Amino acid sequence: MTQLPASIDATQTMLGDVGYVAGRDLSTVVFLALKLGRPLFLEGEAGVGKTEIAKALAASLARRLIRLQCYEGLDASSAVYEWNFAAQMVAIRTAEAQGGAERAALTRELFSEDYLISRPLLEAMRPQEGGAPILLIDELDRTDEPFEAFLLEALSDFAVTIPELGTITAPEPPIVILTSNRTREVHDALKRRCLYHWVDYPSFEREMQIVTARAPEAAETLSREVVAFVQKLRGEDLFKKPGVAETIDWAKCLVALDAVELSPAVIADTLGAILKYQDDIQKLQGSEAKRLLDAAKAEL
């Protein structure tokens, strides 16, 4: 089993070794979450690397990553378990064809582990090879308050209850990462259970480090122009500002096109890699892209 990092610096190095460039502030809260066994609640704009933190931890600690992707209408049963209804029906018909079975015995068989389908929360409570898994509860703000209340209870005891089987408690609590894009406020009671960190857009220097780590095939000159342009772009009045994920995607697209530097024509051809709404793309047509590009290059 890979040992947990012994210091903030070790945490920062550990994440860097798997390609995640973390600042001192983020490394500190990750170290504390691991050291204290507390869930880590990460908020920030989409595409700034919140989900990637969980992936980086799983890779660096050699732990299994279990992801619960949240959505509107998600309820406790969907997140914990469900019964394999099709297999249960086959078992019932088989029992009937064989002349029937004692009802109580058949019921015990139908609602046993053999017919149980584990969903992410239950799976995270099970023993895992290599140690406790990383449980990523992604985009929690998409769910509603009843699910938050259930989650608060589950994370307090690291246990879930299945009426037919009883309470299942994790032998070793999972390492929990919760993320939110802040489309709505998450209840304070859940936040108090966690350590909190706001993941912001990176500085020019750190975004350069990220692009170098995640798109090493891009020449330094091109990477610097890409990062400088995206940083300028985030200062514009856009419906959806590009995140770090878009910066990396754009750099890779430009490399695939054999671009050696940014130009208004290249930007116009590849805007779909960094902007995902037509209204935003239209704002960058014509002279606007050139204006931003000139401003970005002037600061390099």
Side-chain angles (χ1 to χ4, degrees):
M1 182 189 303
T2 304
Q3 295 297 315
L4 298 180
S7 66
I8 297 169
D9 289 337
T11 303
Q12 195 168 18
T13 300
M14 179 187 76
L15 294 173
D17 288 343
V18 293
Y20 192 96
V21 181
R24 177 87 180 174
D25 53 349
L26 177 57
S27 299
T28 300
V29 75
V30 169
F31 168 71
L32 290 173
L34 295 174
K35 182 79 172 177
L36 302 177
R38 294 279 298 278
L40 176 57
F41 187 87
L42 301 171
E43 276 193 321
E45 299 292 339
V48 293
K50 303 184 297 298
T51 300
E52 291 299 316
I53 292 173
K55 294 179 180 179
L57 280 175
S60 58
L61 295 174
R63 306 288 183 94
R64 181 183 174 192
L65 175 64
I66 298 174
R67 180 174 182 171
L68 173 61
Q69 180 61 54
C70 297
Y71 55 86
E72 186 177 352
L74 176 66
D75 58 14
S77 61
S78 301
V80 179
Y81 75 99
E82 66 177 298
W83 293 107
N84 190 335
F85 180 71
Q88 286 173 325
M89 290 303 298
V90 170
I92 291 170
R93 288 173 182 150
T94 300
E96 290 173 347
Q98 293 174 349
E102 197 272 317
R103 182 178 295 274
L106 180 58
T107 299
R108 285 195 299 271
E109 179 188 346
L110 292 176
F111 293 99
S112 66
E113 287 273 3
D114 292 340
Y115 296 91
L116 185 69
I117 300 174
S118 297
R119 293 304 182 199
L121 286 184
L122 176 57
E123 196 65 22
M125 304 297 173
R126 307 249 194 214
Q128 304 288 333
E129 186 177 347
I134 310 295
L135 173 60
L136 169 62
I137 302 172
D138 213 10
E139 298 184 322
L140 180 62
D141 52 319
R142 291 178 178 267
T143 63
D144 49 25
E145 291 188 4
F147 182 75
E148 280 186 37
F150 160 75
L151 197 58
L152 179 62
E153 181 181 354
L155 295 183
S156 296
D157 302 329
F158 290 107
V160 293
T161 299
I162 300 172
E164 298 85 353
L165 297 177
T167 299
I168 296 175
T169 303
E172 183 182 0
I175 298 168
V176 183
I177 307 290
L178 304 97
T179 76
S180 168
N181 294 334
R182 210 176 187 182
T183 57
R184 70 168 180 85
E185 287 294 335
V186 172
H187 200 279
D188 286 345
L190 185 57
K191 283 187 175 181
R192 283 197 299 270
R193 181 70 185 81
C194 309
L195 296 179
Y196 175 86
H197 186 74
W198 174 265
V199 184
D200 209 346
Y201 294 116
S203 65
F204 176 86
E205 290 75 16
R206 193 159 76 84
E207 194 158 12
M208 267 298 298
Q209 291 178 317
I210 294 169
V211 172
T212 300
R214 301 301 295 273
E217 63 275 20
E220 182 180 356
T221 300
L222 179 62
S223 295
R224 289 176 63 82
E225 290 183 357
V226 164
V227 172
F229 184 85
V230 171
Q231 296 255 332
K232 285 292 181 185
L233 198 54
R234 292 187 187 127
E236 297 298 300
D237 182 22
L238 299 174
F239 182 77
K240 171 63 178 70
K241 297 178 182 180
V244 181
E246 282 77 27
T247 307
I248 296 168
D249 285 345
W250 194 30
K252 290 181 177 180
C253 288
L254 294 171
V255 169
L257 294 173
D258 295 325
V260 293
E261 65 175 358
L262 284 184
S263 67
V266 169
I267 293 170
D269 289 342
T270 56
L271 272 178
I274 47 173
L275 298 177
K276 309 302 180 180
Y277 290 88
Q278 180 59 23
D279 289 348
D280 289 343
I281 290 175
Q282 285 183 331
K283 288 181 181 179
L284 267 293
Q285 299 294 338
S287 60
E288 276 301 293
K290 185 178 185 307
R291 177 183 67 82
L292 288 177
L293 180 59
D294 289 345
K297 286 187 173 182
E299 292 184 4
L300 291 176

